[in-house]
Amino acid sequence: MSQQNYKSASLASNVGGCLVILMVMGVLASVAVPSFQVRVRINKQWEPRDYISLINKRQQAYFAEKSVFSTSVKALEIRIIKTETENYKYSHHTTNKATFNYGVSKHKDLKSFVGGVFVIPAPKVESNASKNKITTTSILCGADSAGTIKPPEPTNQNGKIACATGTMEMPQTYD
């Protein structure tokens, strides 16, 4: 084989090999990129879960100390909490018997969350507590579907708290 033919065959072989490698990389990318995008979306949804879980716990501690819920997140002395981030807007609503903490998505592909802290009779959670003692319990609920709508508040029916229709209970990260 002449040196010229050898170089042409070698070049064709290298180009063919590169094409095969590029095709394999393309197939891998078509599988990996959507999986990566789902993982990024899930990680973004940890932010409101962490924020709301932390606010719930701080509200419980505040109530234990002062027998009322705080009407501002600032009073809870949580320095890391912002009222708005790139992906979520945070707010809260407080009554005498409960406080609700919201993480509402700013993007249609992320889920929104709501946390609730409720005043309940202590015997509902502590069997040996006096019947006049009160305590608090909390819940974290995530919207069933993604969107930018504020989720409905969890409910308290005779000391049994539950997520509202359209949301489901989530594990709290600061238990």
Side-chain angles (χ1 to χ4, degrees):
M1 183 189 283
S2 75
Q3 192 170 0
Q4 183 68 24
N5 287 343
Y6 179 75
K7 285 182 181 178
S8 294
S10 177
L11 180 62
S13 172
N14 286 341
V15 169
C18 286
L19 285 174
V20 168
I21 290 171
L22 286 174
M23 287 177 16
V24 169
M25 288 174 58
V27 169
L28 290 175
S30 69
V31 171
V33 168
S35 174
F36 175 75
Q37 289 171 331
V38 166
R39 200 169 283 280
V40 166
R41 186 171 55 247
I42 289 169
N43 285 340
K44 287 179 182 178
Q45 292 177 156
W46 275 100
E47 172 196 302
R49 290 175 68 175
D50 285 348
Y51 271 31
I52 293 169
S53 294
L54 179 57
I55 294 169
N56 280 355
K57 290 299 173 193
R58 291 291 178 95
Q59 282 283 20
Q60 287 182 282
Y62 190 94
F63 189 91
E65 183 181 326
K66 302 186 185 233
S67 298
V68 295
F69 290 116
S70 170
T71 57
S72 77
V73 173
K74 189 175 185 175
L76 299 173
E77 299 176 1
I78 307 172
R79 287 181 229 137
I80 62 167
I81 300 292
K82 300 175 185 175
T83 57
E84 191 165 344
T85 64
E86 180 182 338
N87 299 306
Y88 287 89
K89 185 170 177 131
Y90 298 93
S91 63
H92 70 277
H93 167 69
T94 300
T95 69
N96 291 339
K97 300 284 184 187
T99 185
F100 303 99
N101 307 295
Y102 301 93
V104 179
S105 169
K106 294 167 58 176
H107 304 283
K108 63 181 175 155
D109 63 332
L110 296 175
K111 293 182 179 185
S112 294
F113 297 84
V114 59
V117 181
F118 296 90
V119 175
I120 61 168
K124 295 277 184 185
V125 291
E126 302 170 28
S127 57
N128 60 348
S130 77
K131 64 181 183 177
N132 295 332
K133 184 179 176 191
I134 59 170
T135 191
T136 60
T137 190
S138 67
I139 192 168
L140 174 65
C141 307
D144 288 341
S145 57
T148 58
I149 298 172
K150 188 179 197 178
E153 298 171 348
T155 60
N156 176 3
Q157 298 295 323
N158 299 319
K160 180 160 174 49
I161 62 172
C163 293
T165 302
T167 64
M168 63 182 161
E169 188 169 356
M170 311 294 288
Q172 295 194 64
T173 56
Y174 286 95
D175 277 342

